[in-house]
Amino acid sequence: MRNTARYASLAAAGLLALSSLTACANDAASSTTDTGSDSGGGKGETVKIMVGGLDKVIYLPAMLTQRLGYFQAEGLNVQLLSEPAGVQAETALVSGQVQGAVGFYDHTLDLQTKGKSVESVVQFSHAPGEVEVVSNKAAGDLTSPKDFKGRKLGVTGLGSSTDFLTKYLAVKNGVQVNEFSPVAVGAGPTFIAALQKGAIDGGMTTDPTVATILDKKVGKVLIDMRTPEGSQKALGGPYPSSSLYMQTDWVNGHKDTVQKLVNAFVKTLKWMSTHSADEIAAKMPADYSQGSKTLYAQAIKSTLPMFTDDGVMPQGGPETVEKVLKSFNPNIKNAKVDLSKTYTTEFVDAAK
């Protein structure tokens, strides 16, 4: 069902012929277990985690934790699964296919308004790590979000965080959400092909897709939210994005397991803060570089500022996310969101 939905969205974007490319490195590691360099081969308590694109640099801590052997060191056998968009990771979590999802924190607020209790247990980032790019053809007329009106703008999936942020940037700059067309084009080759062929005028994506677009000179950066400063400028505050979120009932019933997961992730975030982009890239699967180790390392370097070094929710972050979502999402705008139930610091505090 999920694959059918994924291909249907690509067809809507006129990219069905390219659907086989959607997999890219996302699906190259679509089902992996902890076989890090220091591990013995995936023994221990099994936990399944769906990632909204394993090869995306914004979700890098998931695979890196596995490659460093930190899951196994905690006695866990973590199976990392992959979907091209965070909204699909959310669906897998809510349907019970997996115990955790690595995706954007904003899904926890959206799900609360739909009667689902989900919470972030460790926060990887304090900025979105997203970039709004524009095709060379459209660059002359599309110079800011004020020019979104009448445009076709790429997002990873409808209802995804890239969709959310695109709508916020539009509304903030005087363009209503019904005045432009969001197009689901995934990431990587499908996004780039859509940009090159004119299926989209611009769109929101992350590294390593951004690095490839700039290297191939097929588009330009319009808005850069890979740093806390970029987040502040575009969104008005810190924007906690990539995180591990889980259903609250499952968390409360498996606290020891959750603590082990958080211990592993916090250890990875600290490791990342003391190592270079080249050293991080060297730990990742070879195919993630897509043929250019230098370009991949540059993609990591450009995105590193978005990550926390301790897994702690940034102060004021949940409020920024709520403000962004309320600006365009009628479900959240007219709902009372209890932010205290969308994340917990219990496990990160213990991990320290």
Side-chain angles (χ1 to χ4, degrees), residues 52-321:
L54 264 173
D55 69 323
K56 295 177 184 176
V57 179
I58 57 171
Y59 299 140
L60 180 147
M63 179 57 74
L64 182 58
T65 302
Q66 188 181 83
R67 302 284 286 190
L68 290 171
Y70 291 163
F71 289 135
Q72 189 179 23
E74 292 289 335
L76 299 174
N77 172 33
V78 172
Q79 296 179 4
L80 296 175
L81 309 169
S82 186
E83 284 283 8
V87 66
Q88 292 158 330
E90 169 198 297
T91 301
L93 175 70
V94 173
S95 65
Q97 297 174 54
V98 295
Q99 288 78 52
V102 169
F104 270 37
Y105 161 73
D106 54 22
H107 290 292
T108 67
L109 280 72
D110 187 48
L111 285 168
Q112 189 182 113
T113 67
K114 298 172 182 175
K116 305 292 185 182
S117 185
V118 175
E119 61 188 18
S120 165
V121 296
V122 56
Q123 197 61 45
F124 299 162
S125 60
H126 45 196
E130 302 282 355
V131 177
E132 184 73 23
V133 298
V134 58
S135 70
N136 290 334
K137 183 179 179 180
D141 300 318
L142 182 48
T143 60
S144 84
K146 293 179 181 179
D147 303 321
F148 281 0
K149 188 173 181 179
R151 298 292 184 173
K152 294 175 292 183
L153 301 174
V155 296
T156 52
L158 301 181
S160 67
S161 297
T162 51
D163 189 19
F164 291 164
L165 288 171
T166 301
K167 287 175 177 173
Y168 172 73
L169 292 174
V171 171
K172 181 186 177 185
N173 288 275
V175 180
Q176 298 306 305
V177 295
N178 63 352
E179 292 183 317
F180 69 94
S181 302
V183 182
V185 292
T190 50
F191 186 101
I192 295 169
L195 200 65
Q196 288 176 310
K197 296 187 175 186
I200 55 175
D201 300 302
M204 191 170 292
T205 190
T206 60
D207 276 313
T209 306
V210 176
T212 303
I213 288 170
L214 297 179
D215 183 62
K216 291 186 174 182
K217 297 180 171 56
V218 298
K220 300 176 181 178
V221 171
L222 191 65
I223 299 171
D224 192 338
M225 295 180 286
R226 290 175 290 188
T227 66
E229 295 77 17
S231 177
Q232 180 72 41
K233 183 177 179 180
L235 306 173
Y239 197 92
S241 55
S242 53
S243 64
L244 172 66
Y245 62 87
M246 313 179 89
Q247 297 203 61
T248 302
D249 285 346
W250 198 91
V251 171
N252 291 337
H254 301 81
K255 288 198 172 187
D256 287 347
T257 302
V258 176
Q259 187 63 63
K260 292 174 183 178
L261 286 167
V262 173
N263 289 346
F265 279 125
V266 169
K267 195 172 180 181
T268 295
L269 291 168
K270 290 185 183 300
W271 188 92
M272 288 170 61
S273 72
T274 59
H275 289 75
S276 69
D278 286 330
E279 290 172 320
I280 295 170
K283 288 289 184 180
M284 301 300 285
D287 59 336
Y288 281 22
S289 67
Q290 298 179 24
S292 176
K293 293 182 179 179
T294 301
L295 194 61
Y296 183 56
Q298 180 56 51
I300 292 174
K301 184 178 181 180
S302 298
T303 306
L304 274 178
M306 74 174 279
F307 294 107
T308 69
D309 61 5
D310 55 11
V312 175
M313 175 65 73
Q315 186 173 4
E319 289 78 10
T320 303
V321 172

